[in-house]
Amino acid sequence: MKAAVFIKANQSFVVKDYPVPEKLDDNYSLIGIESSGLCGTDVHIHEGAIGMPGDIIIGHEFLGKVLKMGEGNNLDCMGRLLNIDDRVAVNIIEPCGKCILCRTGGDASCLHLGETITYLKSANIPPHFYGGFAEVNVSPTNYLQKIPSSIPTDVVAAFLCAGPTTIRGVDYAGGIVKDETVIIQGAGAVGLFATLYAKKLGAKQVIMIGSGSNALRLDLAKELGADYVLDIRKTTVEERKEKIMELTDGIGADLIIEGTGNPEAVKEGLGLLRLRGRYIWAGQYSDRGTVDIPSHLITFNALQIFGSAQFTSNDREKYFSFLEEVPDKWSAITRVITDKYKVDDVNAAFDKAESGKSIKVVFVK
Ligand SMILES: [Zn+2]
Ligand SMILES: [Zn+2]
């Protein structure tokens, strides 16, 4: 079966054919991958902004069917019995459950996450298929997570990583309080999911600040629940601030969810919050440089800032439950997936994702 192997930053991926293991180690399962999303993080890895070893199979947001299970554990990460043909999402990390962070609600940032990552092993070592950009995957059975059968695959796949990422950040910030004004920065996967999530959780108004580089992004933002859309290519920072103040009786937004990957967005966002406003800083997973922020702004306005990285299987479970509650939005969610590729066409897929013209690129069977 084929796998797209990451050789080195800024180099083409190499598609390799590896034998599928005949026999699995105890407590491991073989998954036939049906959908595997290309995340902003993967683009950053490819550009060298996140250091990674060579000869690995990246791809961390994928789902498929259980094809085979080794002896031993047959329970998923939530303790549910797994059967052959069950549709599962595959986690690439599992918190240790014992460290200070795991014991105090910070398990998404478990101290031992690095030791639990499955896909950093060289793809040349059997059973080869450690990551998501491949036709099959071999993972510890307790890293699998059953997906409710009622939700269509494309609907689950669209926000498989962005959804739980947003849910984790919102949780850190104390949830979304009814009647709040929520600003979403960025019309990528995180921003679009955040728009839907904020509106469904009862935000009074959701304002999307994003780029219409692909017109579909802002159209989908509206369809998913944005009451106002401010295109950063057509408005200035000052014009946007004026509009936000007008929409919030001059006090600023209650909550902002940042999902841009651009540090400049943080500077703008902090200036749009009301006193004691909450800022979820979730879109800067790789180092994109620094930005000047007037330090008194945070103190004087008593802002609350929540950094957020990764998520846990509990967050993904909440994501599945949330999707089950919004069937009216399934068709819009499906349209977030703009491009589908086979693993064979990995380099074309990355070209497309890096061009900014797609929204969500996924590899399919
Ligand atoms: Zn991701
Ligand atoms: Zn831990």
Side-chain angles (χ1 to χ4, degrees):
M1 289 292 219
K2 284 175 181 163
V5 180
F6 169 80
I7 306 294
K8 210 177 163 194
N10 298 308
Q11 275 189 20
S12 298
F13 287 75
V14 174
V15 178
K16 293 192 182 178
D17 227 317
Y18 292 112
V20 178
E22 295 271 310
K23 190 178 178 316
L24 293 166
D25 284 348
D26 288 358
N27 305 315
Y28 276 77
S29 290
L30 175 72
I31 299 98
I33 296 179
E34 300 198 329
S35 182
S36 183
L38 205 168
C39 184
T41 299
D42 299 312
V43 170
H44 297 165
I45 290 171
H46 188 227
E47 292 170 351
I50 300 176
M52 283 285 173
D55 293 325
I56 62 167
I57 302 169
I58 59 171
H60 59 268
E61 40 179 87
F62 55 104
L63 63 91
K65 287 231 165 101
V66 179
L67 299 181
K68 211 190 265 186
M69 292 165 76
E71 295 291 319
N73 178 45
N74 56 0
L75 304 178
D76 79 351
C77 61
M78 308 303 286
R80 288 171 296 221
L81 187 68
L82 282 171
N83 290 301
I84 301 300
D85 273 348
D86 276 352
R87 193 176 48 154
V88 292
V90 183
N91 295 303
I92 61 150
I93 47 174
E94 273 299 325
C96 77
K98 295 180 186 126
C99 73
I100 178 72
L101 282 138
C102 283
R103 285 185 280 117
T104 56
D107 49 350
S109 297
C110 166
L111 287 177
H112 303 289
L113 277 190
E115 300 151 35
T116 75
I117 302 181
T118 49
Y119 79 9
L120 294 181
K121 258 189 217 162
S122 166
N124 295 321
I125 302 167
H128 312 291
F129 297 100
Y130 302 108
F133 293 162
E135 293 178 323
V136 294
N137 173 263
V138 177
S139 285
T141 303
N142 68 344
Y143 279 49
L144 309 186
Q145 187 160 9
K146 231 187 215 188
I147 300 168
S149 56
S150 59
I151 316 169
T153 290
D154 278 353
V155 174
V156 186
F159 298 124
L160 193 58
C161 169
T165 295
T166 304
I167 289 171
R168 169 89 330 261
V170 169
D171 205 51
Y172 281 148
I176 287 164
V177 182
K178 245 184 163 2
D179 296 334
E180 285 189 318
T181 291
V182 180
I183 294 177
I184 313 292
Q185 292 181 291
V190 167
L192 291 174
F193 181 80
T195 301
L196 170 65
Y197 194 58
K199 194 66 189 179
K200 286 282 175 187
L201 261 54
K204 182 177 72 186
Q205 50 185 358
V206 176
I207 304 162
M208 160 63 72
I209 299 179
S211 165
S213 58
N214 172 344
L216 181 62
R217 286 174 187 265
L218 299 184
D219 287 349
L220 279 174
K222 277 184 214 153
E223 249 181 86
L224 291 168
D227 299 287
Y228 301 92
V229 167
L230 300 172
D231 187 340
I232 58 168
R233 297 168 321 150
K234 293 184 182 155
T235 53
T236 63
V237 172
E238 293 72 30
E239 283 166 353
R240 292 193 288 274
K241 181 157 188 166
E242 199 177 312
K243 182 72 185 167
I244 302 290
M245 290 304 156
E246 183 193 312
L247 291 170
T248 56
D249 298 328
I251 68 167
D254 303 289
L255 174 71
I256 296 182
I257 304 172
E258 183 274 322
T260 65
N262 179 356
E264 285 298 323
V266 177
K267 185 178 183 177
E268 176 178 358
L270 292 174
L272 298 174
L273 282 171
R274 67 159 162 78
L275 302 178
R276 296 286 292 138
R278 290 146 26 245
Y279 193 81
I280 301 171
W281 197 331
Q284 314 274 331
Y285 200 70
S286 68
D287 186 357
R288 311 300 269 184
T290 55
V291 66
D292 284 335
I293 296 167
S295 54
H296 84 283
L297 182 73
I298 294 162
T299 305
F300 192 79
N301 289 0
L303 299 182
Q304 307 176 71
I305 298 175
F306 302 88
S308 186
Q310 292 101 226
F311 56 82
T312 66
S313 21
N314 283 324
D315 301 315
R316 199 171 247 166
E317 207 61 26
K318 283 188 197 166
Y319 169 63
F320 295 155
S321 305
F322 176 75
L323 288 179
E324 284 184 300
E325 288 166 21
V326 294
D328 56 314
K329 296 294 181 189
W330 285 359
S331 90
I333 293 171
T334 305
R335 286 164 54 221
V336 171
I337 299 178
T338 47
D339 301 86
K340 291 183 175 178
Y341 289 91
K342 302 278 180 197
V343 169
D344 253 335
D345 300 319
V346 57
N347 291 306
F350 269 80
D351 285 348
K352 188 68 190 270
E354 287 163 4
S355 74
K357 289 187 184 120
S358 56
I359 303 181
K360 189 75 194 171
V361 172
V362 299
F363 293 99
V364 291
K365 202 162 75 168

